[in-house]
Amino acid sequence: MFDNLSDKLDNALHVLKGHGQITEVNVAETLKEVRRALVDADVNYKIAKEFTGTVKEKALGQNVLTALKPGQLMVKLVKDELTQLMGGEAAGIDLSGNPSVILMSGLQGSGKTTFSGKLANYLKNKKTKKPLLVACDVYRPAAINQLHVVGDQVGVEVYSDEGNQDPVSIAKAAVAHAKQNGHNVVIIDTAGRLAVDEAMMTEIANIHSAIQPNETLFVVDSMTGQDAVNTAKTFNERLNFDGVILTKLDGDTRGGAAISIKSVVNKPIKFIGTGEKMDAIDVFYPDRMADRILGM
Amino acid sequence: AGKAKVDDEVLDDLEDVLISSDVGVATTIKIIRRIEERVARDKYLGTEELNEILREEIAGLLSETDSGTGDGFTFPKDKKPYVIMVVGVNGVGKTTTIGKLAHQFKQEGKSVLLGAADTFRAAAIDQLQIWADRTQVPIVKQKMGSDPASVAFDAVQSAVKQNVDVVIIDTAGRLHNKVNLMNELTKVKRVMQKVVDDAPHEVLLVLDGSTGQNAFEQAKQFTAATEVTSLAVTKLDGTAKGGVVIGISDQFQIPVKYIGIGEGINDLQVFNKFEFVDSFFKK
Ligand SMILES: Nc1nc2c(ncn2[C@@H]2O[C@H](COP(=O)(O)OP(=O)(O)OP(=O)(O)O)[C@@H](O)[C@H]2O)c(=O)[nH]1
Ligand SMILES: Nc1nc2c(ncn2[C@@H]2O[C@H](COP(=O)(O)OP(=O)(O)OP(=O)(O)O)[C@@H](O)[C@H]2O)c(=O)[nH]1
Ligand SMILES: [K+]
Ligand SMILES: [Mg+2]
Ligand SMILES: [Mg+2]
């Protein structure tokens, strides 16, 4: 769609140069292209506006218009700024607890159950942990089975209590079970829920306060559009989560939601999901994500 | 000049509403242009009239086959069993939508059979089995890991034998940029034609209502692989608006048939384009 963003900006800026009117207004015009590109990449439109405001200041400071290739310089500026925005201090997972409890949260179908399996696999193999997976989705048809299948695939025990309709008590019992059986990590899978579903949001807030997790993760589908900000904000208000997981990045989505979420809640993006298989997990690289969003 | 300023403001607000509903930049510009033309043509326009024009213009972009009056699938007498194949990327709501459709068709007095051709995802078959139990319809399934085309073939064959009205085939979620998986889908579709030569009669592409501009590419690639005939937009019970389907319906001329508004068995509605547009303006 905008593979040639840099060309476009070059053009726009050259045209302006030709007119001999190198002003703040001209830069602002050009930044409209950037904003449009960001919105096309699913960055929230308000955040895209703020972002281009920041870039504008920097562009004027760096005299973009006197550069030989002003478009390229502008793209570099944008890219660096994006990278910085999504970066920040590298954030691992808090494994200091005994056990360390990790709570998954997110919308329906975002990839929580799959990611729970991947994370268990990763912690088992890469960090020599002994995880326990916990089935706290008591609603979705076959959700418990799904977690059992996933657990079998990665060779990690799954705690479930079929018939128990209370996720809070399941979570508590699971943590006790983990302590008794030497599991040093507990990964709690929960049902998908909408941010506007008051009862379900209260439920997960209750799970959260009952087990006091070391790590609460918000799992987001990287194809999410403008609504990402609303969801992230509400989940963060209720859970004060520690990090974000971006799933389904093996697709061709630009993934602008990553910027929106980071801007709104200022929590690190910790891992990405890159496939349906249990080893399709990777740490998050802000610069790669910036390239992706800009279509480079 | 005073009046023009107000109009600009209204149009700016409108632009914000459309963009934040995931309508996308290109389609938003298209809509705004059309409205600007009408504003220029008609002498005076109040906000009321503007709203009405907006509804008309957006409705105009949605596929002509969208009646907007509330028709779901209909089943011609000479197409029995009526074969519906359901496709889409991962986690959008295919299996759930199938459960709801089965329920709706049964309510209409049709006999329904489900085919569990997602043989890949963990417990996908169990999930569809639960929906089959809930709706009390038969299901044709094989073991996890078996050939999805073979399951689809069996399902359509059973439907013929049992003289069933409608058969709905669930397929595994797959990202549209995975060539092998998209080829597999084409094969699933083709195999059913060995039993019923014009099957599937519908290829329903399910789109997650919270998806942004990537839905365009989904529509494009699934259409290339399976000739999608209709769309369902799910999860519209949240704050996401699903506006990307306007551009999709416009560009590919595929009608939106259903919307999903919850996880329950009754949470499926026939698409109504005017209600859809109105939902953008509700807080
Ligand atoms: N391609 C791809 N598919 C993924 C990825 N992560 C999850 N999925 C798929 O997305 C779909 C939904 O994943 P789940 O793990 O069931 O999602 P969930 O959030 O647990 O869903 P609910 O429990 O219904 O809310 C499944 O088909 C997964 O295989 C990923 O990184 N890439
Ligand atoms: N709130 C809401 N949730 C929905 C709706 N439709 C489906 N879901 C939920 O979304 C999640 C995924 O639904 P599925 O039907 O498993 O999606 P799928 O497309 O079959 O997923 P895969 O087979 O893994 O690709 C489940 O938790 C469903 O309950 C809807 O209209 N509203
Ligand atoms: K999704
Ligand atoms: Mg789940
Ligand atoms: Mg499914």
Side-chain angles (χ1 to χ4, degrees), chain A residues 108 225-227 248 250 252, chain B residues 22 176 178 210 214 239 263:
Chain A
Q108 286 93 345
Q226 296 290 315
D227 192 52
K248 309 181 197 174
D250 44 326
D252 57 7
Chain B
D22 287 315
H176 50 280
K178 308 226 161 143
S210 64
N214 190 249
T239 42
E263 301 183 74

Side-chain angles (χ1 to χ4, degrees), chain A residues 36 39-40 42 45 108-109 140-142 145-146 149 194 196 223-227 248 250-253 276, chain B residues 16 19-20 22 25 90 121-123 126-127 130 175-178 210 212-214 217-218 235 237 239 263:
Chain A
R36 182 185 165 154
V39 172
D40 274 334
D42 293 322
Y45 76 106
Q108 286 93 345
R140 172 175 162 160
N145 281 0
Q146 186 187 357
V149 173
L194 293 168
V196 291
M223 293 176 273
T224 309
Q226 296 290 315
D227 192 52
K248 309 181 197 174
D250 44 326
D252 57 7
T253 188
E276 297 191 72
Chain B
D16 283 357
I19 292 287
S20 66
D22 287 315
V25 177
N90 307 82
R121 217 223 42 232
D126 301 331
Q127 186 188 1
I130 290 174
L175 294 176
H176 50 280
N177 59 337
K178 308 226 161 143
S210 64
Q213 300 309 303
N214 190 249
E217 209 53 37
Q218 294 171 25
K235 309 183 193 175
D237 43 328
T239 42
E263 301 183 74

Side-chain angles (χ1 to χ4, degrees), chain B residues 16-85:
Chain B
D16 283 357
V17 167
L18 293 174
I19 292 287
S20 66
S21 303
D22 287 315
V23 171
V25 177
T27 309
T28 296
I29 290 174
K30 193 166 175 175
I31 293 169
I32 300 276
R33 290 244 165 88
R34 287 164 83 144
I35 289 173
E36 274 172 345
E37 278 165 25
R38 298 224 357 211
V39 171
R41 209 169 48 224
D42 305 351
K43 278 274 174 286
Y44 175 78
L45 274 182
T47 328
E48 284 279 293
E49 287 158 291
L50 199 72
N51 274 340
E52 202 40 53
I53 287 171
L54 176 67
R55 289 174 107 221
E56 281 169 25
E57 291 298 342
I58 295 180
L61 286 178
L62 285 159
S63 160
E64 285 180 8
T65 39
D66 276 324
S67 63
T69 53
D71 294 327
F73 290 144
T74 49
F75 312 112
K77 277 217 169 65
D78 60 333
K79 299 205 188 306
K80 187 177 171 168
Y82 196 73
V83 181
I84 303 171
M85 177 181 177

Side-chain angles (χ1 to χ4, degrees), chain B residues 156-254:
Chain B
V156 177
Q157 203 171 43
S158 301
V160 171
K161 274 193 199 136
Q162 295 175 42
N163 200 29
V164 158
D165 294 318
V166 190
V167 46
I168 315 176
I169 308 293
D170 190 16
T171 63
R174 67 200 72 218
L175 294 176
H176 50 280
N177 59 337
K178 308 226 161 143
V179 177
N180 292 344
L181 295 179
M182 295 307 276
N183 287 342
E184 177 192 88
L185 208 55
T186 310
K187 184 184 157 203
V188 171
K189 181 182 168 179
R190 214 177 38 231
V191 156
M192 293 189 272
Q193 292 162 358
K194 290 184 182 164
V195 191
V196 173
D197 55 14
D198 58 351
H201 305 102
E202 292 280 356
V203 178
L204 177 67
L205 173 66
V206 181
L207 298 171
D208 184 323
S210 64
T211 304
Q213 300 309 303
N214 190 249
F216 248 102
E217 209 53 37
Q218 294 171 25
K220 189 172 165 190
Q221 300 306 337
F222 276 97
T223 294
T226 61
E227 293 168 74
V228 171
T229 59
S230 49
L231 305 173
V233 188
T234 60
K235 309 183 193 175
L236 291 182
D237 43 328
T239 42
K241 304 294 188 190
V244 67
V245 296
I246 295 172
I248 292 174
S249 185
D250 179 34
Q251 183 171 330
F252 302 102
Q253 288 297 305
I254 307 170

Side-chain angles (χ1 to χ4, degrees), chain B residues 256-269:
Chain B
V256 187
K257 284 283 181 187
Y258 293 97
I259 62 166
I261 49 157
E263 301 183 74
I265 198 165
N266 290 308
D267 294 330
L268 186 75
Q269 285 179 0

